[in-house]
Each structure stands twice: as structure tokens, then as C-alpha cells.
Amino acid sequence: MKKKTLKSLVLAALAAGTFALAPSADAAVQVNPIPNLPANFIKGADVSMLPELEKLGAKFYDVDGKEMDELQIMKNHGVGWIRLRIWNDPKSGPGGGGNTDEARAIEMTKRAHALGLKVLIDFHYSDFWADPGKQVTPKAWEKDDEDQLVKDVYDYTAKVVKDFQNEGCEPEMIQIGNEVKNGMLWPIGKLPSTDGDKAFSRLLGAGLKAVRDNDADRSIKLMVHLPDGGDNALYRSFFDSMKKNGVTDFDVIGLPWTMSRRKAVQALPSSCLRPCA
């Protein structure tokens, strides 16, 4: 069972963008360098599953066959950032996916910073994965009304930010929500809505404000994250709605580049085309 679980986690980690090569692996994958990248271009990977893989006995090797820390391997090959998701209480969810919570994210952030890597923290505001098909309200909040849920988001986000600061490992960027195309914290924050997206905007805004209120020098960059990077209409309608509802204080739009670069860039409001680091 342990071997089967480890295999599943390895496959999931590879799918999420992390990598590891065993000494006998055939290095058939070649990623050619991209010339003339700007100095602030971010090359990163989500490594939220790494502690669980290590717990199950996973070993990682660089291309020369030398065993070492997976984060060091990534750094050796040009990765400068890592992303870590946070689930409110993984024990209240179905389990798996690295069982990532605040404590594990703090531990990994310290490891990353010790190697000179920067960190993006990804709040899912759920006890398990949140994505366009599911944005399940955490069990501890599931009976709360809209006003209380807004307070929940603010208080929880502020607590986590302060916990990171107290541990001396403030992240360089924070993502408020994950793939929030269809809102978050369903059913109250679900999109499309019948209230002009006001409930969702309040929830998203509460998370953003909680970070700003606890980051006096604004050293933490704030991201709003959507899927479907090539969907021009989605991005324009989404951010037009957020602007109408007063949600404008963020630095970065996170999007997957699933279509042509031209279409993806066209999807970004001109006011948001800013350096992300």
C-alpha cells in the first residue's frame, strides 16, 4: 500500500510541475533555454506534495545521479520560486494531495528561503483542492452567513500572514483563492451570481485587505488567479466586475498560458500589466 501511495503521489507531483530523475532515468526530455528573458521573469514550481513524498521515502537525484534535496535540484536548474498551497484543515477534507496546511507551508517556506528561493502562498479557502468545478467552503465555516464568511476570510488570512511573519519567513507573494473563475466559498461566493458579484467581491476583497493590513511596507505581492488563460472574454468580464465592486488592490494576475501568447496577453486589462516580482 505504501509503495502504491508513493507511486500515485510521484505521478501527481510530476503532473503538477515538479520533477525528479533517478540515476538510471533516461533524460529524454529537453527544455531549451529561452533567450532574453527579463530579470524579473519567474521560473517556479508547486511543491506542496514534497513533504508527503519525503515522508513516504521518496529520493531525488540530479542529472548526474547525485542524491540531494529536491528544492536544491530545482534551484540547480534555474527555478527561483516555489508555490505552496494552504488548505484550512486537510483532516476535514478527503485527504491526499500532500495534506498541505499552514504548518507544513511554513516549514517548506523556511526550507526554500534557506536556499535563496522565493515563495508564493496559495490560499484555497477550502479543506481540499479548490478549482472551477468545486469551491467547497471549509467545514468550520460551512454554516456561516455572508457577513460572517467575509470575517472568516479576513481573520484567517490575517492570522496566517502574521504566523509566517512571527516565524521569520514572510512569503514574497500571496494568491487569494485558486482558479476563482466560478467564485469561491460556494454557495455564497459562487459565480455567475444574481447579486452583481457583490458577495464574491467581498470575499476576495477581504483576503486581499487582510494581507495589506498586515504588510505595512507592501513587500508581499498579491495575486488573483483564474484558469483558462486564453479566454479574453472571461478575463475582461471578470476584472470589469471586480473593478465595479471596488476590488482593485492587487499586483498580479495569475493565469495558465493554455492558448496562444497573443490571445492570453489580450485578455489582461492594461492596468494589470505590471512586473510580478
Side-chain angles (χ1 to χ4, degrees):
M1 178 62 70
K2 184 175 180 180
K3 184 179 292 186
K4 182 178 180 181
T5 303
L6 176 58
K7 180 179 179 182
S8 297
L9 282 167
V10 169
L11 291 173
L14 290 171
T18 60
F19 61 92
L21 294 175
S24 60
D26 180 8
V29 177
Q30 174 67 38
V31 180
N32 295 320
I34 301 173
N36 303 317
L37 285 177
N40 62 359
F41 187 86
I42 290 176
K43 291 178 283 186
D46 191 307
V47 296
S48 302
M49 289 187 183
L50 183 56
E52 198 71 12
L53 289 167
E54 293 171 335
K55 181 180 176 182
L56 291 167
K59 306 286 185 183
F60 300 92
Y61 304 85
D62 207 340
V63 292
D64 60 0
K66 183 178 180 181
E67 182 183 342
M68 64 178 66
D69 184 347
E70 169 67 354
L71 297 183
Q72 183 65 58
I73 296 173
M74 289 183 172
K75 183 177 180 180
N76 291 351
H77 295 275
V79 169
W81 284 68
I82 64 166
R83 185 176 75 167
L84 299 163
R85 72 180 72 91
I86 290 183
W87 294 327
N88 288 43
D89 181 12
K91 294 178 181 177
S92 294
N99 298 313
T100 54
D101 59 9
E102 176 192 349
R104 182 162 276 184
I106 286 175
E107 171 193 340
M108 289 297 294
T109 297
K110 289 180 178 180
R111 280 178 58 180
H113 281 171
L115 290 172
L117 300 171
K118 295 182 178 182
V119 175
L120 162 61
I121 295 297
D122 173 11
F123 281 92
H124 281 233
Y125 299 112
S126 184
D127 294 329
F128 194 59
W129 250 297
D131 56 45
K134 57 183 183 298
Q135 296 278 340
V136 181
T137 297
K139 186 175 181 180
W141 303 350
E142 62 186 4
K143 295 181 180 179
D144 294 345
D145 62 15
E146 181 182 326
D147 288 342
Q148 182 59 48
L149 203 55
V150 170
K151 186 176 186 299
D152 292 336
V153 171
Y154 182 93
D155 291 347
Y156 174 70
T157 307
K159 173 191 177 298
V160 172
V161 170
K162 286 185 280 191
D163 287 347
F164 270 79
Q165 292 168 337
N166 290 337
E167 289 290 331
C169 58
E170 181 179 274
E172 285 74 21
M173 192 181 300
I174 288 179
Q175 175 182 320
I176 301 298
N178 191 70
E179 296 188 317
V180 294
K181 165 186 175 179
N182 294 325
M184 64 184 189
L185 295 160
W186 292 353
I188 289 174
K190 191 168 186 177
L191 299 178
S193 69
T194 59
D195 68 349
D197 303 343
K198 288 184 173 59
F200 168 70
S201 298
R202 290 183 69 199
L203 294 167
L204 183 65
L208 294 167
K209 188 175 188 301
V211 179
R212 291 295 196 218
D213 287 351
N214 291 281
D215 178 34
D217 61 359
R218 297 173 71 94
S219 60
I220 302 173
K221 297 296 183 182
L222 283 171
M223 176 189 288
V224 176
H225 182 260
L226 274 69
D228 305 332
D231 190 338
N232 190 315
L234 164 66
Y235 278 72
R236 290 192 176 278
S237 64
F238 181 93
F239 287 103
D240 282 349
S241 179
M242 293 304 99
K243 182 177 179 181
K244 181 179 179 180
N245 287 319
V247 181
T248 59
D249 189 12
F250 55 91
D251 306 293
V252 180
I253 292 175
L255 72 162
W257 293 68
T258 54
M259 296 178 67
S260 72
R261 181 176 180 183
R262 180 185 297 273
K263 290 182 179 179
V265 170
Q266 286 174 344
L268 295 173
S270 60
S271 62
C272 295
L273 292 175
R274 295 177 281 210
C276 56

